[in-house]
Amino acid sequence: MLTLNEYRTMANEEIAAIAYPKSPKGLYEPITYTMDLGGKRLRPALVLMACDAFGGDPKKALKAAVGLELFHNFTLLHDDVMDKADVRRGKPTVHRCWNENTAILSGDAMLTMASQYVAQVDAAVLPAVMELFNRTAMEVYEGQQYDMDFEVRVNVTIDEYIEMIRLKTSVLLGCACKMGALIAGAPAEKAQALYEAGVCLGLAFQLQDDVLDVWGDEATFGKAIGGDIMNNKKTFLLISAIQNANEDDEIELRRWLTDAYALRTEKVPAITALYERMGLREAAEKAIRHYNDLALEALKKAELTEEAHQSFVKFIEGLMGRKK
């Protein structure tokens, strides 16, 4: 097994080697800009690691790994348009640098490129890999639709929220794990166990994002702190606050949620203080530990070698140890 940084280096080198057409610049420059922003490269690293863990050659999974990263970045590009986000990974978003139409079209191109890359696996595993990729893509779109639906609903439950983030975020980590396993020729039940580990890890990861959006460090988080609060985004924290607020907290919460002209310097500290009074940071961190534990339990069922198992444990511990 290689180290996480070595898997990331393999993915980054392959991404850097992508030969984009020279024209039209308006289509391909935003894609280059997006991919050059970097990121943690978690998904391609998981594809390569999973392939290696089951005795496969990571190089045979490299194209598919890059394809999954292209798909991930396509979803972020379109999400930024929908959310009207200004910053991604510490830089202006594509629709701010260019415009919304360019962001949509370049995102479409990234989606097609992603499919082209994923399809470059051995013919023997191509049907299974493409079925997994396409099913995952549809689930991500379903999750995004639920996320948009939640914007106009007050009575969203925690269970509904967990299902939404499972679809929008977590299944892609599961897909990365299972894709690498399939490319290596892993038995179906073991590939599925690793998929479940990835999904549970994805749930913990997204819940951690909810926490970091409120209490994180903007310099390391890569996005403006308090963005979810300013957008009245239905997160674990806001849904919990709505469900558990006493009369006074409910009045204050409703006031901030309905004030379209609230200043960030006022709204973010006020909602943060409300979350802290209600003990919601602790509640979210408890949920994070729960899904982290489920990921580790599923990992055991994959029956990896001790070296491979420890590599995944280290990956999970490192991911969930992200600093504020």
Side-chain angles (χ1 to χ4, degrees):
M1 296 288 293
L2 303 177
T3 66
L4 176 59
N5 283 337
E6 287 173 320
Y7 293 123
R8 283 173 165 166
T9 297
M10 289 176 65
N12 277 321
E13 288 177 349
E14 190 69 18
I15 289 168
I18 295 175
Y20 300 101
K22 293 183 179 180
S23 64
K25 289 184 177 180
L27 180 65
Y28 293 109
E29 283 186 349
I31 301 176
T32 305
Y33 175 83
T34 298
M35 299 307 291
D36 285 349
L37 289 178
K40 293 175 283 292
R41 306 300 192 211
L42 301 178
R43 292 146 195 87
L46 277 173
V47 175
L48 300 176
M49 186 184 299
C51 182
D52 203 0
F54 283 106
D57 181 355
K59 292 179 181 178
K60 290 189 175 182
L62 194 51
K63 295 292 186 182
V66 171
L68 209 60
E69 185 70 358
L70 280 163
F71 176 82
H72 170 59
N73 280 272
F74 140 72
T75 65
L76 298 182
L77 198 157
H78 277 193
D79 278 0
D80 287 341
V81 174
M82 296 179 198
D83 294 341
K84 302 187 186 306
D86 295 325
V87 177
R88 170 68 65 180
R89 293 170 181 153
K91 299 291 184 180
T93 50
V94 168
H95 71 97
R96 291 300 183 202
C97 288
W98 283 270
N99 53 62
E100 289 189 359
N101 288 343
T102 295
I104 292 169
L105 187 59
S106 292
D108 292 343
M110 290 177 75
L111 174 57
T112 300
M113 289 176 63
S115 297
Q116 291 172 331
Y117 266 80
V118 171
Q120 295 181 56
V121 295
D122 287 349
V125 298
L126 178 60
V129 168
M130 290 306 299
E131 189 279 331
L132 171 66
F133 175 72
N134 289 326
R135 172 165 47 83
T136 300
M138 292 304 299
E139 289 176 326
V140 171
Y141 308 150
E142 291 168 1
Q144 178 64 20
Q145 182 62 56
Y146 283 131
D147 196 16
M148 293 190 296
D149 291 345
F150 291 173
E151 292 178 8
V152 294
R153 284 183 52 196
V154 176
N155 62 335
V156 179
T157 67
I158 291 296
D159 285 346
E160 287 177 314
Y161 177 70
I162 294 297
E163 175 62 7
M164 182 275 287
I165 63 174
R166 184 188 73 83
L167 292 168
K168 183 178 176 179
T169 302
S170 304
V171 296
L172 199 55
L173 289 180
C175 175
C177 291
K178 188 171 183 177
M179 186 176 288
L182 290 174
I183 294 170
E189 64 277 9
K190 293 184 179 181
Q192 184 62 27
L194 201 58
Y195 174 86
E196 295 299 336
V199 169
C200 292
L201 177 60
L203 289 169
F205 181 80
Q206 182 56 53
L207 289 169
Q208 190 181 59
D209 255 16
D210 289 357
V211 171
L212 291 176
D213 188 81
V214 179
W215 291 283
D217 180 350
E218 189 168 318
T220 56
F221 190 44
K223 295 185 287 186
I225 297 301
D228 289 343
I229 291 175
M230 290 306 298
N231 292 320
N232 294 340
K233 194 83 171 176
K234 297 297 192 308
T235 65
F236 180 94
L237 296 164
L238 179 56
I239 294 168
S240 297
I242 292 171
Q243 290 182 343
N244 299 297
N246 60 32
E247 185 175 350
D248 291 339
D249 287 339
E250 183 180 356
I251 292 171
E252 181 181 3
L253 189 59
R254 188 184 305 118
R255 177 171 69 85
W256 286 114
L257 292 178
T258 56
D259 186 353
Y261 301 99
L263 297 176
R264 176 182 290 269
T265 52
E266 296 175 348
K267 182 175 180 178
V268 172
I271 295 294
T272 300
L274 186 149
Y275 288 165
E276 290 172 348
R277 288 199 303 273
M278 297 179 70
L280 297 184
R281 181 173 185 173
E282 292 79 7
E285 289 175 343
K286 181 179 179 180
I288 291 168
R289 290 193 297 272
H290 170 69
Y291 287 108
N292 184 74
D293 289 345
L294 288 180
L296 292 172
E297 289 176 17
L299 180 62
K300 292 178 183 177
K301 296 177 182 178
E303 298 180 346
L304 302 175
T305 65
E306 182 61 21
E307 180 188 10
H309 180 84
Q310 289 304 319
S311 291
F312 274 94
V313 169
K314 186 176 180 180
F315 178 92
I316 293 170
E317 291 175 347
L319 187 60
M320 300 318 300
R322 288 187 293 168
K323 302 297 183 182
K324 302 189 290 182

